[in-house]
Each structure stands twice: as structure tokens, then as C-alpha cells.
Amino acid sequence: MRLTRYFLPVLKENPAEAQIVSHRYMLRAGMIKQQAAGIYSWLPMGFKVLKRLEQIVHEEQIRAGHIPLLMPTLQPADLWRESGRYDAYGPEMLRFKDRHDREMLYGPTNEEMITDIFRSHVESYKSLPLTLYHIQWKFRDEVRPRFGVMRGREFLMKDGYSFDLTKEDALHAYNRHMVSYLRTYERMGLTAIPMRADSGPIGGDNTHEFLVLAKTGESEVFYDAKVPELKLGDRTVDYDNRDEVASICKEFTTLYARTDETHDEALFNQIPEERRCVGRGIEVGQIFYFGTKYSEPMGATVTTPDGAKVPVEMGSHGIGVSRLIGALIEANHDEKGIIWPEGVTPFHVGLVNLKQGDVATDAACEALYAALKAKGLDPLYDDREERAGAKFATMDLIGLPWRITVGPRGLANGLVELTSRRSGESEEMTPEAAVARIVEIYAGI
């Protein structure tokens, strides 16, 4: 993409309404535009990051054996009355009537609808285990939407639902989700800690939230200093191996890590004092096991091997995809702007022409641009007739992890400059070497 042909409405000044870093930089970098309180249009670069995150979530869900579908944003109120949640959910649910006077709602979550789909098509234990998921827009009418996409009213969410014959099977599905989420967040360059949490309006006995440590987090968190050091890395996981999956979950949940809602001061004080950490965290996902909370009242049953009919054991598992972008920026920025991890960057590399209109410089940039694209990379070429300082400021603000700078002085020696956005370090090399380095960096991502 060339900047002269792209829609990137960057702002030089900090918007007055933006209270936290991610909101400020998303507005300034032209990623979003507020249309109403807590409701945003996703402009091209913001939408590009959103789709990158969505793709990672899809890949890791499918790797874990989960099956994608798509449910509508609007739901009939009758389904929620069956489960008993219609009146209990609270004013966050947007309720309305259609032209035929039928009561409807804009879905804040999909437990009822997925249970209805299941009971309509599955009758035997032979169809289990089954996990279905989708990535869809949700709406919760927050009293005080704030912090940009971190606490919006409309948001993009991956919500998955597991159906199993026994509690033991359902807890394996729970563990499988925990491991798949750990891998998902690591691919995005995030350290998301699973913490014992409260189930809230979803219900259930077992639940963990995944929180990214950040000063602007809404939740107070208490954890062992060793917890953020835990990594899945590149280990191979057999999601059908119950012992292996359970062992990984034990590894990531044995050390103390809890939100303020479930904090136990006595347990916390058993940690060596130098390892006791108190901070704040941003919730980016949550997994629940709730047994027959929905299947029993809604009649979602299967026939067992001995011919009996039993309600299925269920769980639900969510990742806040749009919220993740805010969390990523909160965890990856400096005073100049965003610093995208390589796994989620909207463009792989920025290409800066220091002297637009100079025949040799233009030719070198065009050659680099073509070479990068030929390698399957997605460069952003700043071909504007702007001064160098303005070009560098734009690149720093939008946060591409790598920048290739091309100017007459370097080209006189056959060199360009490759700069890391995170470290700020630059290295001169030939254009061919710069392309090869970028290819190498993204080869394993």
C-alpha cells in the first residue's frame, strides 16, 4: 500500500476525550472514529489489525478442534425466557420490539441461541464431544462507556460453546480452551495470565479470566512474580491428550494469580514476600464451565449408551477481539506512539522515501516495494511529498515494527537504513539485505 492512496487520517494533537493511551493512539493513528458513546467505526488500519487478530483466533480455535459457525446479532427474547436470564440479565441488554410486536434483543452473548441450535440437531452421545464457536459483534449497554474500545458498548467477540456427555469431558473442554487461549495470546505478543475469577451473569462454578498487566487495567490483580514468566513457547500440544492438556493447565494455574473478586489474603501471604505482586489488569478473555445451567431448562439432552436421556454438560469461552487491540497498545507503546508486535502489525514494514521526486531514490523505493511484495510481505510505502520529520513521526505513531529508510546519501554508497521501532536501533545495509532480513523476521510468525 502507498500512503498517497491510503486512507490514514492521523491527528497531530491528543483528542480531549481520550483518557488512556490506547484510546488516544487509536484516534490519533486513524484507526477508529467514534460514532456514538461506546460505538466506533473501524477505519482501514484499525480494521486491518482487527482482521489479523481475528485470523489468529480462528487458527488457534481450529487447531484445538473447534468448529466455526455464525449466529445473528439479534435474538428472540423467548429463548432467554426459557433459560431464565431475560429478566435477570439487567439493563445492559438492549431490548426492543420488531414491527410485528415480537420482543427481541441485541445479543450480549449466545448461550441460549447455541443451546437451541444444539437441541434442534443433536440427539445422541455419539455426536459428542462438540465445540462450536463464532466471532461476532455484541452489544452491552454500558452505563459509562469509556476508554475507547476497552469499554465500548459494541464490540467484536469470539464466543465458543462446548457440549459434552460427562463433567469429566466438559472439564477437558475447559482445559483445552485454556491452552488454546494461552497460545492465541502468545502469538499476538501478549502475556495474558489466567486468573481465578467470578462467573458473573454467565454462571457456573469454574471460571478463569485472562488478564494483561497494565497500569490502566480495570481490575486489581494479585499474583506471584513467577507467573508472567510462564510461556508455552513453540511446544507441540496434542489437544486430545487429556493428561497433557491438564498438565499444562496445572502449570499455568498452580501459582497464585487472582482478581480482587476472588483474592484470598491468607493464600497470598504464603508467597515469599519478594514475589508478591499487586497491579492492575485488562481482561481479554474468560472461560466458564457451568454444567447443565442452560441445557436442563432448555431441554438440550442426548441419549446415553444405555438409552437414558440426560442434559449435556456445557461451557462457554470468550475472547474480546476488539478489546484486545486496546490491550495490545496499552502493553506496547512509548511517548511517540504504538509499537506493534510482529504477529499483529497492520503492515510488516514501513518504507520511507526521504526525497520524493529524486529519480534514484524513487527508483530504489519502487524496487524495494516490489521486492517486499514479491516475498509475500505487506509494506506501507510513504511516498508523500512531506519533510522527513513528518514521515518519521507518522511511522512512529502508527507503530510498524520495522522501517526501511531510503535517501540519496545512503544510496550513494548502495545502502539503506533498517530501523527497529521497539529498540530504536538502526543498521545500514544493502536493499537486498534489508529485504532478506524482513523476510527472516516474519518467517516463523
Side-chain angles (χ1 to χ4, degrees):
M1 180 57 65
R2 301 166 190 269
L3 257 182
T4 52
R5 300 180 187 175
Y6 198 51
F7 182 62
L8 187 68
V10 297
L11 305 175
K12 292 183 179 179
E13 303 297 328
N14 289 326
E17 72 272 22
Q19 298 174 299
I20 62 172
V21 168
S22 58
H23 191 193
R24 183 162 66 245
Y25 282 155
M26 288 184 78
L27 290 169
R28 284 195 57 205
M31 295 178 67
I32 55 173
K33 181 188 185 302
Q34 181 171 309
Q35 304 298 158
I39 300 174
Y40 294 88
S41 287
W42 290 80
L43 306 183
M45 198 178 80
F47 183 62
K48 201 169 173 65
V49 177
L50 197 64
K51 298 305 286 185
R52 286 200 187 276
L53 298 187
E54 190 177 339
Q55 184 60 35
I56 291 172
V57 173
H58 272 304
E59 289 171 1
E60 293 305 326
Q61 286 300 296
I62 291 168
R63 190 202 298 254
H66 308 157
I67 303 168
L69 48 64
L70 185 62
M71 291 176 276
T73 57
L74 303 182
Q75 304 182 31
D78 288 346
L79 283 178
W80 286 66
R81 287 201 172 94
E82 282 190 62
S83 71
R85 279 209 302 175
Y86 185 70
D87 295 318
Y89 198 88
E92 289 79 22
M93 182 190 288
L94 182 63
R95 300 163 167 87
F96 63 96
K97 290 184 179 181
D98 67 13
R99 70 198 307 169
H100 300 291
D101 212 34
R102 289 177 294 219
E103 291 182 288
M104 306 288 287
L105 59 98
Y106 194 128
T109 184
N110 282 75
E111 282 78 11
E112 284 79 4
M113 184 166 283
I114 198 70
T115 304
D116 178 56
I117 291 170
F118 179 90
R119 70 183 177 184
S120 299
H121 300 286
V122 179
E123 297 179 349
S124 170
Y125 75 95
K126 294 179 181 179
S127 298
L128 304 179
L130 179 65
T131 296
L132 303 170
Y133 79 94
H134 72 160
I135 299 177
Q136 178 62 290
W137 291 96
K138 304 282 191 293
F139 188 90
R140 293 176 190 168
D141 201 3
E142 296 279 356
V143 177
R144 290 180 60 222
R146 54 202 171 108
F147 303 153
V149 300
M150 298 280 286
R151 191 68 179 270
R153 292 193 293 164
E154 186 183 52
F155 53 95
L156 187 65
M157 181 177 172
K158 172 263 158 181
D159 43 321
Y161 304 91
S162 54
F163 301 89
D164 291 278
L165 183 60
T166 67
K167 181 176 181 179
E168 181 185 28
D169 295 340
L171 290 177
H172 172 59
Y174 184 94
N175 291 343
R176 194 172 63 239
H177 273 87
M178 181 176 290
V179 176
S180 71
Y181 279 21
L182 290 169
R183 188 183 294 282
T184 298
Y185 297 128
E186 283 190 21
R187 280 189 62 188
M188 295 175 181
L190 282 172
T191 298
I193 302 171
M195 298 190 178
R196 178 72 61 179
D198 181 71
S199 61
I202 303 295
D205 300 324
N206 285 49
T207 181
H208 280 83
E209 288 179 352
F210 291 80
L211 290 104
V212 174
L213 299 175
K215 293 178 182 178
T216 50
E218 293 177 294
S219 302
E220 188 173 26
V221 294
F222 304 81
Y223 60 97
D224 188 317
K226 288 190 173 183
V227 172
E229 298 173 5
L230 297 171
K231 302 291 180 188
L232 264 179
D234 57 0
R235 70 179 94 172
T236 301
V237 178
D238 179 358
Y239 283 102
D240 292 325
N241 186 323
R242 296 191 177 200
D243 291 339
E244 181 182 351
V245 172
S247 174
I248 295 172
C249 291
K250 184 177 180 181
E251 175 188 344
F252 279 81
T253 59
T254 297
L255 293 173
Y256 192 92
R258 297 195 180 192
T259 64
D260 51 359
E261 295 170 320
T262 58
H263 176 55
D264 185 320
E265 193 69 25
L267 286 176
F268 187 60
N269 288 336
Q270 292 177 19
I271 304 170
E273 187 174 357
E274 68 275 11
R275 283 173 28 205
R276 288 180 217 153
C277 296
V278 181
R280 304 201 71 79
I282 300 166
E283 182 194 343
V284 291
Q286 191 162 3
I287 57 176
F288 304 85
Y289 159 70
F290 43 64
T292 60
K293 175 180 170 66
Y294 298 93
S295 58
E296 195 161 3
M298 296 185 69
T301 62
V302 292
T303 304
T304 64
D306 59 8
K309 278 194 171 184
V310 298
V312 288
E313 298 278 339
M314 291 177 60
S316 71
H317 319 279
I319 288 180
V321 180
S322 54
R323 184 183 179 89
L324 267 169
I325 296 182
L328 276 158
I329 295 171
E330 292 293 331
N332 296 278
H333 69 271
D334 61 15
E335 71 283 354
K336 296 178 181 178
I338 303 164
I339 306 173
W340 293 115
E342 278 87 352
V344 299
T345 179
F347 297 93
H348 295 118
V349 59
L351 179 58
V352 173
N353 186 334
L354 290 183
K355 194 171 183 181
Q356 197 70 38
D358 178 78
V359 174
T361 309
D362 288 355
C365 285
E366 291 294 342
L368 272 165
Y369 184 67
L372 289 163
K373 289 178 69 67
K375 295 293 185 180
L377 295 167
D378 191 8
L380 179 64
Y381 176 21
D382 190 343
D383 58 342
R384 300 172 299 165
E385 292 188 7
E386 283 274 4
R387 57 185 178 82
K391 292 190 174 189
F392 289 147
T394 297
M395 285 295 172
D396 286 340
L397 174 62
I398 66 176
L400 306 186
W402 296 93
R403 185 185 78 223
I404 298 174
T405 305
V406 184
R409 186 180 302 174
L411 285 178
N413 298 312
L415 302 174
V416 297
E417 187 178 71
L418 180 65
T419 304
S420 164
R421 173 69 179 88
R422 190 170 295 276
S423 70
E425 295 177 358
S426 296
E427 184 180 352
E428 286 193 323
M429 59 185 68
T430 65
E432 295 77 16
V435 172
R437 180 74 64 83
I438 297 298
V439 170
E440 181 185 7
I441 288 166
Y442 288 100
I445 294 175

